[in-house]
Structure formats: C-alpha cells, structure tokens
Amino acid sequence: MEIDPFIFRLSIFILSIFIGYYVVWSVTPSLHTPLMSVTNAISSVIIVGAIIAALAGTSESIFNTSSIFGFIAIILAAVNIFGGFLVTQRMLQMYKKKKDKKK
Amino acid sequence: MISANLAAISYLISGILFILALRGLSSPDTSRQGNYFGIAGMIIAVVVTFLSIGNFSASLVYVVLFLVIGGAIGAFIAFKIPMTAMPELVAGFHSLVGLAAVFVAIAAFLNPAAFNLGNVGDIKLASLIEMSIGAAVGAITFSGSIIAFLKLRGIMSGAPITFSGQHILNLILGIGIFVLIFYLCKTQSTNIFWTVIIISFLVGVLLIIPIGGADMPVVISMLNSYSGWAAAGIGFTLENTALIITGALVGSSGAILSYIMCKAMNRSFISVILGGFGADNSTDDKKEKKDQKPVKSGNAEDAAFLMKNASSVIIVPGYGMAVAQAQHALREMVDKLKKNDIKVTYAIHPVAGRMPGHMNVLLAEANVPYDEVFELEDINNDFANSDVAFVIGANDVTNPVAKTDPKSPIFGMPVLDVEKCKSVLFVKRSLSPGYAGIDNELFYKDNTLMLFADAKKMTEDIVKNLD
C-alpha cells in the first residue's frame, strides 16, 4: 500500500513544530521583540504562493481575477519581508553598538 | 526551468535557514548572523519559485514591479518607525501576513490548475480543506491584528468591549465556519468559500475587542502564532516545504511567547482570550480609599540626593517610559550615577511594555549594555541589598498586593520585589491605578517617594540635579 504524500508533509509539519518549540525556548528574553519581527518576515515566504498565482495569467490576460489576488498578495508579503528583516536588522544593530563600545 | 525535485530540496534548504535564523536569536552576538540566514532563506525561496515556474511572460515584469513597490514601502517603514512603536508595527505586519494568506487561498480557489490542485469546481478534497483552513485562519489573523493595531495606536480605546452572549456568538460562528467548510467540500460552491472568509473576518474582530489594552503582549504573541498556522495551512495547499516548516516555526514561536506572557501575569490563556479584564466596576470605593492614605511626594532634587548617596540603584522601566520616550534621558541619568561609582542595573518584568521584550529594545536603543539588563528571576533577590529602586513607568508589576492579598485580581502574579529596597522612587503622573484597576500599595509605604511628573521631564530634571 502506498503512503499518501500528505503524510510526509504532515510529518515535516509536526517535526518542525518540535524544532520550533526547542529553538524558541532557547531565545533569550531580551530578544523577544526581534523574534516577533523576524518570524513575521519569514512567514511572508507565503509570497511563493502569491508569485505562482500572479504568474498564472496568460500574456493576453495578465490580470484576471485569480492573478490580481496574487499580485496584491505579492505587495503585502513584500512589505512584510523587507520591513520585517530590515527592522529586525535595525534592532539587532542596537544590541551590537554597546558591545563594541565596551571593548 | 528547474526540476520539481531540485525545487523541493531548495525549499527544504530555505526552511533550514529559517530555523537557523531563529536559532541565532539565542544570544545577541549570533543574532545578526541569524538574520542573514533568514534573508538568504527568503531569497532562495523566491528565486526557486521563479525558476520552477519558468514562465517569463509579460506577467513577470509586473511581478517584479509589485515586489519592488512592496519592498520599498516595507523598507521605508522599517527605517522610519520609532522603536517605541514596535508593538503596533508588529501587529500591522501580522495583519499583512494574514491578508496575504487569504489572497493566496482565494487565488488558488479561483485558479486551482495553476497550483496543480485540480480544476475549478473539482478541486482535490484535501487541498480544499487545507486552503479553506488557511484562508479562515488568515482572515482571523488579519482582522484581529487590525483591531490590535488600532488599540495599540490609540485610535481605538484600549478598554475591553464586552456584551452579553459574546462567547456564545463566537462559539456559534466558530462552529459555523467548520460546518461551512464541510459543505464547501461537498458542493465546491464559490459563495460558501466567500462566506467562510467573511465570517472569519468577523470572528477576528470579535476575538480581540474584549481583550484589554494591557493584555496586548498576549494578544500580539497569539496573533503571531495564528499568522504561522495560516502560513502552514497555505503551505499544505501549495505542497511547499519551506512554507510548512516556517508556518510550524512561527506558530510554535507565537504560542510559546503567549505562554510566557500569560505565566508572567499568572493568568490562564483561556481567561485572557475570553477577555474583559480591567473592566473593574468597583472603582468608586478605591477613589475614596486613596484620598485617605497619606503619600510622600518629592521632587527631582530629593530624588537626585537619594541616588547620589546610594551605592546601588535598580531601575524598573515600564510602558510609561516608552510613552514618554524617556529611555535616552534615563541613560544619561545612569551615566551620571555611574561616574559617582554607583552600581546601576535594570530589572525587567516579562510583561513590562506592550509586547514581549519591548523594554529591552528601548534600552538597547538608548545604548544600555545588555549585560546590565536583568530578567525578573535573575534580579529579584537583589532588591533587598540595594539602596534605591527607580520605578519609571511601571506599576502593576511592582505591586506587593500580588504577594499578600489573595482577593486581589493580580494575586499570584510574579512581581518585582521593589519594596525591599531601602528606598523607592516612583515616577508617575498621578496616583491613578494601572491597567488592572487596582491601587498600588507601594505608593503608601514609608520608604516610597512619589515623583509626580512626566517620566522624561522628571528624569531630565534629576540629571540636572545630579551635577
């Protein structure tokens, strides 16, 4: 009997929850705000779905109902990706400055 | 065009890079490297998506264009946003993830062939379930985050909005979503799909409006978690490993943060969700009581004198410091104290501020070295051996009532043992109670000196008096 590929994805999902559990507990509490902003940024990897949807239009109809939703989702996710990573970087940079000063 | 297998492996690699991004945050030293891993993971995922579609038609130009527009907006916000506004920024970002999930689900529903999910009206059952769950959770995340954003921004009152039958209504709507998804699977009806999304938007609003402003650290973490589950739901639909891994990571991250926040307030997650906290109805009694008790109040000169003659000072910052933007003035004050060989440390309660780690970021912004900043359990024993506690903008997290009065709504909540210090300086605008609506006993202790002023102005005045 063959195993449904869904089961494999479910396995990846559940194992990732465990990885997430242990990794996040090891995050130092002083970095909880950057943790939230970076998780925000990475969850915007949903942009891959948006790109697939947007590129599904044909050259005659670049903008059909389905691809328009894709295009809007691209903007939303892009705001999040750039905003999320950059604001995280900005915050983490502040944690660095002091260390250099001390040296 | 690259093979599906190569694409799948690339997605796995970007998933691993995302894990490393979170792993990096275990210490400030490795955190920046972690962030680069995250960025690399994102670039791989996006590039591989383009390559595996291999459709470089006219659409591509628009895709890149929209990507650049969104990116520019995001970059602009990231550089402009003041650090004190991080909670609302994060709430705003959550809403975008949620909405993006909804839109991707809609796109997949309208054009399933593009995603290899079957045809319109004949979408694979599993995919249909996955995309409707993804869309529903995404919609809840979106509207919930919008409400959280409005509350944090002060556009909407932070007071809980409750009405009778609220929980039953939420329950009915929640069950309704599942019933509709069941019928959606049977009929493949577009109208039902839209209805699911609309009801989910409504549920998001209803879930967040009864939660009071000071429970925001839990709400933000919770919405963080939801945005992850929404992403995971879409990941299953798209059969995309990167998205599934990320969704699971973000989902568990948000859940853990919610747990930490709830524990720090000694409240069960359920009671926070059900909301209504802070809507105290016995405020009249309290006002009377307050007038009767004597309070010692002082000015900047007194405070400066006390601190100059201390050998150790512990600073307890709270949300009030963020509101008054007092972190830079505070740092200046600490510098002056250090010059006089006074030991200064910072004590941070997990729920100080409006989001997890909020105070740490503000102190970091003001160039406070992170090894001077301590968490509750690491510093609580030091209060007894310290001369002065300088409480700036915090309130409930210092209230000794939590340890002494079993009838108090915050009884059992871990608090900073500020009252054990020889003297306590309490910067506050008035005697008004904190979010919990309870009077702080600390105000009336003999060793407490109240400094009634705006946090920033008072700190600046103290700096002047320290010369």
Side-chain angles (χ1 to χ4, degrees):
Chain A
M1 225 174 76
E2 224 176 290
I3 301 170
D4 189 323
F6 171 80
I7 301 300
F8 290 116
R9 287 191 284 277
L10 189 66
S11 315
I12 294 172
F13 179 63
I14 291 173
L15 290 175
S16 304
I17 292 179
F18 277 91
I19 294 173
Y21 179 85
Y22 289 107
V23 169
V24 171
W25 271 116
S26 75
V27 171
T28 161
S30 66
L31 291 175
H32 275 162
T33 299
L35 171 68
M36 299 201 91
S37 58
V38 85
T39 49
N40 226 311
I42 62 171
S43 55
S44 304
V45 72
I46 200 158
I47 200 168
V48 301
I51 294 173
I52 297 172
L55 285 180
T58 53
S59 35
E60 297 92 64
S61 65
I62 294 170
F63 297 101
N64 56 45
T65 21
S66 161
S67 71
I68 285 175
F69 279 109
F71 279 115
I72 303 174
I74 287 180
I75 296 190
L76 299 176
V79 171
N80 237 332
I81 292 171
F82 282 76
F85 280 124
L86 289 174
V87 88
T88 309
Q89 193 65 24
R90 211 181 120 198
M91 275 190 270
L92 297 177
Q93 217 59 39
M94 300 187 312
Y95 283 83
K96 181 187 186 181
K97 265 187 287 178
K98 294 143 308 186
K99 221 189 138 244
D100 291 349
K101 259 188 194 169
K102 259 194 311 181
K103 269 179 190 169
Chain B
M1 187 144 172
I2 57 174
S3 81
N5 286 339
L6 183 59
I9 291 194
S10 311
Y11 285 133
L12 177 65
I13 291 171
S14 60
I16 293 169
L17 287 168
F18 291 150
I19 295 173
L20 293 175
L22 299 194
R23 179 80 189 114
L25 290 171
S26 57
S27 108
D29 295 326
T30 53
S31 60
R32 278 173 301 280
Q33 192 193 24
N35 202 36
Y36 293 128
F37 281 136
I39 295 171
M42 188 60 74
I43 293 172
I44 292 176
V46 171
V47 170
V48 166
T49 307
F50 279 123
L51 293 178
S52 61
I53 298 171
N55 168 2
F56 295 109
S57 65
S59 307
L60 185 71
V61 182
Y62 290 97
V63 170
V64 174
L65 179 71
F66 284 108
L67 202 72
V68 171
I69 293 174
I73 298 171
F76 180 78
I77 297 172
F79 286 117
K80 286 284 165 199
I81 192 93
M83 282 301 142
T84 42
M86 277 315 291
E88 50 261 47
L89 177 75
V90 168
F93 279 171
H94 286 153
S95 73
L96 297 183
V97 178
L99 196 58
V102 174
F103 283 177
V104 172
I106 294 175
F109 184 79
L110 296 176
N111 187 3
F115 295 85
N116 288 324
L117 305 174
N119 294 305
V120 181
D122 183 27
I123 301 171
K124 280 188 281 181
L125 180 65
S127 309
L128 199 55
I129 297 173
E130 289 153 6
M131 75 171 77
S132 34
I133 292 175
V137 180
I140 293 173
T141 311
F142 170 70
S143 55
S145 300
I146 293 288
I147 300 294
F149 176 83
L150 294 176
K151 284 192 171 190
L152 287 164
R153 193 83 221 175
I155 298 168
M156 203 173 136
S157 154
I161 301 169
T162 50
F163 52 88
S164 60
Q166 195 163 22
H167 303 322
I168 297 171
L169 178 66
N170 287 346
L171 190 67
I172 292 172
L173 289 176
I175 295 171
I177 290 175
F178 281 104
V179 173
L180 284 172
I181 291 178
F182 179 75
Y183 279 105
L184 175 66
C185 295
K186 277 191 143 175
T187 59
Q188 304 252 352
S189 149
T190 318
N191 286 338
I192 294 183
F193 186 69
W194 289 114
T195 318
V196 167
I197 292 174
I198 290 166
I199 294 182
S200 305
F201 279 136
L202 191 63
V203 170
V205 173
L206 289 171
L207 271 181
I208 307 301
I209 54 167
I211 305 183
D215 279 340
M216 278 304 154
V218 183
V219 171
I220 296 193
S221 319
M222 192 176 85
L223 291 167
N224 186 231
S225 181
Y226 287 178
S227 68
W229 304 131
I234 303 297
F236 275 103
T237 317
L238 305 182
E239 308 186 346
N240 183 304
T241 325
L243 204 40
I244 294 176
I245 295 177
T246 313
L249 289 179
V250 178
S252 51
S253 162
I256 291 171
L257 289 177
S258 315
Y259 170 78
I260 296 175
M261 293 299 116
C262 284
K263 218 177 126 219
M265 293 195 288
N266 191 38
R267 307 190 53 206
S268 75
F269 188 64
I270 301 293
S271 76
V272 173
I273 305 263
L274 294 182
F277 197 59
D280 206 331
N281 31 27
S282 57
T283 33
D284 290 342
D285 304 343
K286 267 168 209 144
K287 268 182 201 137
E288 279 169 35
K289 258 196 259 162
K290 221 185 291 167
D291 294 336
Q292 291 161 5
K293 281 198 243 174
V295 166
K296 273 202 288 183
S297 80
N299 55 27
E301 221 175 300
D302 305 331
F305 178 79
L306 259 173
M307 282 198 273
K308 250 195 243 171
N309 291 303
S311 60
S312 56
V313 173
I314 299 180
I315 312 239
V316 182
Y319 185 57
M321 180 188 84
V323 174
Q325 302 261 15
Q327 64 271 31
H328 299 283
L330 185 67
R331 164 76 208 237
E332 227 180 295
M333 185 186 96
V334 170
D335 284 345
K336 287 243 162 93
L337 292 175
K338 278 194 199 155
K339 267 189 207 143
N340 292 330
D341 284 328
I342 300 167
K343 187 180 162 238
V344 185
T345 44
Y346 298 80
I348 298 192
H349 192 279
V351 289
R354 284 292 182 268
M355 74 183 294
H358 192 189
M359 290 299 122
N360 302 81
V361 168
L362 294 180
L363 293 177
E365 188 197 10
N367 279 322
V368 172
Y370 55 79
D371 49 9
E372 289 174 14
V373 182
F374 295 95
E375 302 299 316
L376 173 99
E377 58 267 30
D378 299 325
I379 199 166
N380 228 1
N381 293 328
D382 295 356
F383 282 107
N385 310 321
S386 296
D387 297 322
V388 177
F390 186 75
V391 183
I392 176 166
N395 185 2
D396 290 323
V397 297
T398 63
N399 197 340
V401 157
K403 289 176 289 193
T404 54
D405 181 7
K407 270 177 275 170
S408 164
I410 59 166
F411 181 72
M413 167 171 143
V415 287
L416 293 158
D417 298 334
V418 174
E419 77 281 358
K420 288 188 182 154
C421 268
K422 289 204 187 83
S423 43
V424 178
L425 295 169
F426 209 112
V427 185
K428 204 169 183 310
R429 262 189 273 200
S430 70
L431 274 181
S432 63
Y435 82 84
I438 29 177
D439 217 5
N440 194 339
E441 256 183 30
L442 198 59
F443 299 165
Y444 314 107
K445 296 248 174 187
D446 290 337
N447 59 345
T448 305
L449 189 67
M450 299 297 295
L451 306 169
F452 291 113
D454 173 76
K456 187 176 179 187
K457 200 172 165 298
M458 176 52 76
T459 315
E460 284 167 349
D461 287 348
I462 295 175
V463 172
K464 279 183 211 140
N465 279 292
L466 279 174
D467 290 323

